[in-house]
Amino acid sequence: MIPLDAINLYLPGAEEELRRAVRVAEKDTGLKITCLVVHAFFWFAADMAEEMNIPWVAYWSAGTCSLAAHFYTDLIRQKTGMSFPNIKVFIEQQHLI
């Protein structure tokens, strides 16, 4: 299984699972959630926070190289034709890092 396949298996249920966890937490504690602090990978938390009329604080736990890879994904795919055989060499040659 390639990594993208694994992500595509995981993500469809992630949003509903987060919604369920928020409902359970509110029910179990008797408290209302007043802010969502959620990893930026789970972008759908922004929509949840807006629906709940509360702030969303996104954080990024991975290193800066990982963030840069996400930031430059479109450029990398465009320049490489979506093939990543020697991506480190390519990035170094383009002076992206």
Side-chain angles (χ1 to χ4, degrees):
M1 178 180 298
I2 61 173
L4 189 56
D5 289 339
I7 290 170
N8 288 335
L9 288 173
Y10 172 75
L11 281 180
E15 181 174 358
E16 185 50 41
E17 189 59 27
L18 180 57
R19 290 178 184 278
R20 187 192 67 73
V22 167
R23 288 191 302 270
V24 168
E26 287 181 333
K27 182 181 177 201
D28 287 356
T29 64
L31 301 171
K32 199 81 172 136
I33 300 292
T34 59
C35 181
L36 290 178
V37 179
V38 181
H39 195 284
F41 183 76
F42 300 111
W43 68 93
F44 49 79
D47 296 332
M48 289 177 57
E50 186 175 1
E51 292 166 12
M52 297 169 70
N53 199 29
I54 60 174
W56 171 51
V57 177
Y59 69 91
W60 190 263
S61 61
T64 55
C65 289
S66 174
L67 180 59
H70 286 284
F71 184 78
Y72 289 111
T73 294
D74 291 338
L75 175 64
I76 293 167
R77 288 183 175 178
Q78 177 188 22
K79 296 285 186 176
T80 64
M82 297 184 73
S83 176
F84 302 97
N86 295 307
I87 193 65
K88 184 176 181 186
V89 172
F90 168 78
I91 291 173
E92 289 170 352
Q93 289 172 343
Q94 299 303 310
H95 306 288
L96 296 175
I97 58 173

